[in-house]
Amino acid sequence: MEYRIKDKSLSSYGKKKINWAESHMPVLLSLQKKYQDSKPLKNLIIGGCLHVTKETAVLIKTLHAAGAEIAWSGCNPLSTSDDIAASLVVDEGLSIFASRGVNNEEYYDDIYSVLKFKPHITIDDGADLTIEFHKTMDEYGSNIIGGTEETTTGVMRLRALEKNKKLQYPIIAVNDAETKHDFDNIYGTGQSALDGVIRATNILLAGKTVVVAGYGHVGKGIAARCSGHGASVIVTEVNPINALKAKMDGYIVKPMSDASSVGDIFITSTGCKDIITGTHIEKMKNNTILANAGHFNVEISLNDLANLSTSTQNLNENVEQFILKNGNKINLIGEGRLVNLVAAEGHPSEVMDMSFANQFLSVLNFAENKNTFENKIYDISQEQDLNIARLKLESMGIKIDELTASQNRYIHDYGEGT
Ligand code: ADE
């Protein structure tokens, strides 16, 4: 076992948090119970690069209980919970390379520490590990069977790799499962992004104007929660279909150049860069709050913000205040990195339960069907999606109706019309 973490003495706090998450992740726990004796992942090394949180710890423990050897790094310099990393090392004896506040070089050192284990299966969030692996397959790739990808941005990067015929091993796009993005991205980010803004600033949302950039699943969740708190929501979009959906969901839709002078709080969730730039920042009101809920810290131009400022000060651990040349103060949360993980605790355990059940079953799929995959991006099966939804409903004590035989025939037939 090797590791590089911040402080082993934090392990007892980490363990308590992991227990809390476990008690809210019944689907993943049922998989842990099901596979802990047969150990279908025995002799497999899993290389993970995914936020080290209490929920991820439950996934890691489930993979380990099913027999896998683990090597894991964080996937964002500011998202690691150091107490969770400590518990995984001290209480579980696992190889963890992750600390909150690493610089760029340390971040990639952690990823390479994982690659040196020569993983059979990778689990990635944002594709940093997978992309580095592709550069070093000659050295570390001898065992690789397949990999999974957790997030929209990562799937986009890997689809670009596939399109360029450069994908060197099969990937399962966990993000694209309905029981992942329809819950984690919408309800998970919707709640946790606001949680981050509120923990960092304690701002009252009622009566404020929140500008949500991007109306994909994440933006949709954030807009709904802001609206529920009594804020007026403006959505900015480049996709006409998403813009129409936002309008018909009751929000004001306008370009960022118009929204920038009226918003009190801006939350980006587009997966693209330069959403808020200098020309927007110059128009913003005094005391505007900026936060990003997209995977990378490229949505708010940090260069432009710095160039427009005469000085900065830290208001607290997660808020940096920029004093602009025009005298206005602009408050940036979490260095423009994922606000929900930097300033709060990420998505609640209940949604990560389904996302990570998809991760576990995808890994199991690779383990059980090793030689049947091509170097392509695969969706998870509808059967897996339905199964996870059924298990989740069961854990919530919810029963649903079943089609009768005649209804089943009806929906699969074209004969019965008017
Ligand atoms: N992504 C968003 N929230 C998360 C969480 N709680 N754990 C791991 N990854 C996440």
Side-chain angles (χ1 to χ4, degrees):
M1 165 199 160
E2 297 167 39
Y3 58 89
R4 184 166 47 249
I5 61 169
K6 195 170 274 171
D7 185 354
K8 277 166 76 175
S9 75
L10 300 173
S11 67
S12 64
Y13 297 110
K15 196 176 170 70
K16 282 180 209 154
K17 288 190 191 165
I18 295 169
N19 288 342
W20 173 265
E22 248 162 22
S23 62
H24 294 85
M25 300 178 82
V27 178
L28 197 52
L29 269 204
S30 71
L31 294 172
Q32 196 178 110
K33 283 207 184 87
K34 184 167 173 186
Y35 293 106
Q36 67 194 3
D37 295 330
S38 57
K39 303 226 178 292
L41 305 182
K42 205 167 85 193
N43 299 327
L44 293 179
I45 301 165
I46 300 200
C49 174
L50 198 154
H51 309 291
V52 177
T53 63
K54 57 190 185 308
E55 290 76 23
T56 303
V58 182
L59 170 64
I60 292 175
K61 284 178 65 178
T62 304
L63 294 163
H64 187 54
E69 188 183 333
I70 301 290
W72 209 275
S73 71
C75 68
N76 181 303
L78 284 181
S79 69
T80 294
S81 299
D82 289 315
D83 48 4
I84 303 296
S87 175
L88 289 169
V89 169
V90 173
D91 303 314
E92 309 301 328
L94 300 174
S95 296
I96 306 293
F97 307 91
S99 317
R100 183 179 162 111
V102 285
N103 62 30
N104 209 47
E105 195 183 334
E106 291 163 335
Y107 175 78
Y108 278 100
D109 278 354
D110 286 343
I111 286 183
Y112 273 89
S113 297
V114 170
L115 291 180
K116 284 177 189 155
F117 278 72
K118 301 190 174 171
H120 294 92
I121 298 170
T122 58
I123 296 182
D124 209 349
D125 184 341
D128 281 345
L129 177 111
T130 314
I131 300 292
E132 292 309 307
F133 205 3
H134 273 69
K135 296 177 191 161
T136 53
M137 287 297 275
D138 289 349
E139 214 170 335
Y140 306 125
S142 50
N143 291 327
I144 191 69
I145 299 169
T148 68
E149 173 50 54
E150 169 79 4
T151 203
T152 316
T153 298
V155 172
M156 275 165 53
R157 292 177 82 191
L158 296 178
R159 285 203 192 284
L161 204 64
E162 182 188 39
K163 201 168 165 207
N164 282 293
K165 307 217 174 324
K166 295 209 168 112
L167 191 67
Q168 293 183 50
Y169 63 90
I171 297 289
I172 298 180
V174 166
N175 178 72
D176 295 356
E178 284 183 72
T179 47
K180 197 282 181 182
H181 65 255
D182 276 351
F183 298 90
D184 170 319
N185 302 25
I186 297 178
Y187 305 101
T189 319
Q191 179 169 318
S192 63
L194 284 207
D195 187 12
V197 171
I198 292 168
R199 286 195 207 196
T201 62
N202 198 25
I203 195 88
L204 180 72
L205 287 161
K208 295 290 188 304
T209 298
V210 180
V211 179
V212 178
Y215 202 69
H217 289 89
V218 168
K220 188 176 178 175
I222 294 171
R225 296 299 174 241
C226 288
S227 183
H229 276 270
S232 309
V233 175
I234 299 174
V235 170
T236 71
E237 250 301 344
V238 289
N239 177 317
I241 299 172
N242 285 353
L244 260 184
K245 285 183 187 166
K247 176 67 184 161
M248 296 207 183
D249 283 342
Y251 306 117
I252 297 165
V253 177
K254 44 170 88 177
M256 184 60 85
S257 54
D258 294 348
S260 42
S261 56
V262 288
D264 298 300
I265 302 165
F266 290 72
I267 307 177
T268 53
S269 62
T270 67
C272 193
K273 67 177 188 176
D274 295 336
I275 303 306
I276 293 178
T277 61
T279 51
H280 306 124
I281 294 166
E282 275 179 323
K283 291 189 199 163
M284 287 177 180
K285 296 196 282 191
N286 187 27
N287 257 325
T288 294
I289 293 170
L290 303 181
N292 167 49
H295 188 79
F296 288 117
N297 62 336
V298 294
E299 306 210 12
I300 300 167
S301 172
L302 302 178
N303 275 342
D304 286 3
L305 189 52
N307 289 337
L308 285 173
S309 305
T310 52
S311 62
T312 70
Q313 58 171 337
N314 289 327
L315 297 191
N316 60 42
E317 192 197 352
N318 291 316
V319 182
E320 188 175 7
Q321 185 170 72
F322 291 76
I323 323 294
L324 303 192
K325 290 170 193 158
N326 66 13
N328 283 347
K329 295 180 185 127
I330 303 290
N331 304 288
L332 176 70
I333 305 183
E335 299 177 15
R337 297 193 187 276
L338 276 168
V339 64
N340 56 338
L341 282 138
V342 177
E345 291 177 62
H347 302 349
S349 311
E350 291 88 338
V351 285
M352 296 315 294
D353 189 22
M354 289 193 282
S355 308
F356 287 166
N358 274 303
Q359 284 285 4
F360 180 85
L361 290 174
S362 300
V363 167
L364 194 64
N365 189 358
F366 278 129
E368 288 176 342
N369 304 294
K370 276 190 194 74
N371 300 319
T372 62
F373 293 91
E374 295 168 41
N375 291 352
K376 289 196 320 203
I377 300 189
Y378 288 85
D379 282 335
I380 66 129
S381 66
Q382 200 195 19
E383 188 193 346
Q384 179 176 314
D385 238 348
L386 291 174
N387 198 19
I388 288 175
R390 263 188 218 106
L391 288 171
K392 191 71 182 175
L393 283 170
E394 213 176 280
S395 77
M396 297 165 88
I398 296 170
K399 292 194 170 71
I400 59 172
D401 291 325
E402 265 181 58
L403 288 173
T404 63
S406 102
Q407 284 176 317
N408 205 14
R409 269 197 306 281
Y410 177 82
I411 59 170
H412 291 105
D413 188 23
Y414 53 81
E416 240 181 278
T418 309

